[in-house]
Amino acid sequence: MALSLGWKAPRNHCGLLLQALRSSGLLLFPCGHCPWRGAGSFLDPEIKAFLEENTEVTSSGSLTPEIQLRLLTPRCKFWWERADLWPHSDPYWAIYWPGGQALSRYLLDNPDVVRGKSVLDLGSGCGATAIAAKMSGASRILANDVDPIAGMAITLNCELNRLNPFPILIQNILNLEQDKWDLVVLGDMFYDEDLADSLHQWLKKCFWTYRTRVLIGDPGRPQFSGHSIQHHLHKVVEYSLLEPTRQENSGLTTSTVWDFQP
């Protein structure tokens, strides 16, 4: 695909997914979207068919082989097409980012972290971490993303894993009145300085208001490693990324789960 989105591809071919993996300026929180609290009833038949035709069901190459996801892979047409030919908003949901992989692996390996608890998956994307929370026994889950197509993809991914779809909120949750959650999880969200500052303040308020536990997944992006939030983090676990994920993420080799303790 052409570099119309302003990304560099790590290979000679400039596929949509490969461009996105180099991105440092995602717009995951645009304004003006309506909240989406349902799930299956919002699956537009035409868009559902488009997603099924242009993604591949895969569970390989990630830290969570027990979770199946619809993703863009080299066997998908739009991996190689020009970016402007993709007819919807940029498909960040079609990437299983390394921070999300680490969070999902941790929840699957440590179900007591979520069992019987309420969980907010902020910037859910493909929904893998919310799915991991559901598999591990969370009592209430809300997946949040601003892209309605992501919401549809999350619903499809729930079905792939034989789970009843959970509620999905399509809105900038940072602009809403905070709700009480036992756990907030967010992966790969500290890619932009302004967004990182907003997240930091929102998470601090969430922690001090409701004593919510916050887990953050990140593979060591400079916007996260150099942010002041580092003073309030406790390392929980670090995972070595599988080779396919390393290749698609500019050679990043590990991804870490952090406990936010302001």
Side-chain angles (χ1 to χ4, degrees):
M1 305 188 69
L3 295 176
S4 60
L5 299 180
W7 298 319
K8 295 180 179 179
R11 306 177 190 173
N12 291 331
H13 296 284
C14 297
L16 179 67
L17 177 61
L18 300 183
Q19 296 173 47
L21 290 166
R22 286 292 186 93
S23 173
S24 61
L26 311 185
L27 297 176
L28 291 182
F29 286 124
C31 298
H33 288 289
C34 294
W36 177 10
R37 295 222 175 241
S41 62
F42 288 84
L43 276 176
D44 178 272
E46 290 187 7
I47 296 181
K48 179 176 183 288
F50 178 85
L51 296 182
E52 291 175 337
E53 180 181 354
N54 292 287
T55 56
E56 179 184 19
V57 176
T58 180
S59 61
S60 64
S62 77
L63 295 174
T64 56
E66 55 269 72
I67 297 179
Q68 295 191 85
L69 299 169
R70 285 198 167 276
L71 303 174
L72 282 174
T73 74
R75 286 174 288 278
C76 300
K77 177 180 71 172
F78 281 100
W79 178 284
W80 308 107
E81 293 282 0
R82 297 198 325 269
D84 60 343
L85 295 180
W86 180 263
H88 304 291
S89 54
D90 297 329
Y92 304 118
W93 54 265
I95 304 162
Y96 194 7
W97 301 88
Q101 289 189 33
L103 284 169
S104 301
R105 182 71 269 156
Y106 178 70
L107 297 185
L108 291 171
D109 289 343
N110 300 274
D112 288 345
V113 172
V114 295
R115 185 180 292 122
K117 298 179 180 178
S118 59
V119 180
L120 168 65
D121 183 13
L122 198 157
S124 190
C126 65
T129 303
I131 288 171
K134 182 77 169 180
M135 288 179 167
S136 297
S139 61
R140 181 167 71 101
I141 297 171
L142 179 64
N144 168 238
D145 204 290
V146 296
D147 185 355
I149 306 299
M152 296 182 189
I154 292 169
T155 301
L156 291 176
N157 288 334
C158 285
E159 294 174 357
L160 280 176
N161 293 281
R162 300 182 180 181
L163 299 174
N164 291 326
F166 34 73
I168 301 163
L169 175 65
I170 304 298
Q171 197 167 11
N172 182 351
I173 201 168
L174 302 187
N175 292 334
L176 303 179
E177 183 178 349
Q178 288 188 340
D179 197 0
K180 185 181 188 304
W181 299 96
D182 297 317
L183 175 67
V184 172
V185 292
L186 61 158
D188 308 283
M189 293 293 289
F190 286 79
Y191 50 78
D192 172 84
E193 185 175 347
D194 290 338
L195 176 57
D197 291 343
S198 297
L199 284 169
H200 190 191
Q201 296 304 313
W202 192 88
L203 294 172
K204 282 198 296 185
K205 182 179 179 182
C206 196
F207 179 90
W208 289 115
T209 303
Y210 298 111
R211 309 303 296 182
T212 299
R213 187 179 186 189
V214 177
L215 294 177
I216 301 171
D218 192 90
R221 293 187 179 86
Q223 299 94 331
F224 181 67
S225 301
H227 195 272
S228 60
I229 197 172
Q230 291 291 323
H231 301 302
H232 306 294
L233 298 178
H234 168 72
K235 181 185 283 191
V236 178
V237 63
E238 183 177 75
Y239 297 100
S240 294
L241 297 170
L242 274 64
E243 186 60 29
T245 302
R246 294 185 183 195
Q247 292 178 2
E248 294 168 354
N249 286 271
S250 307
L252 293 171
T253 59
T254 63
S255 190
T256 302
V257 175
W258 301 90
D259 199 338
F260 178 57
Q261 300 175 352

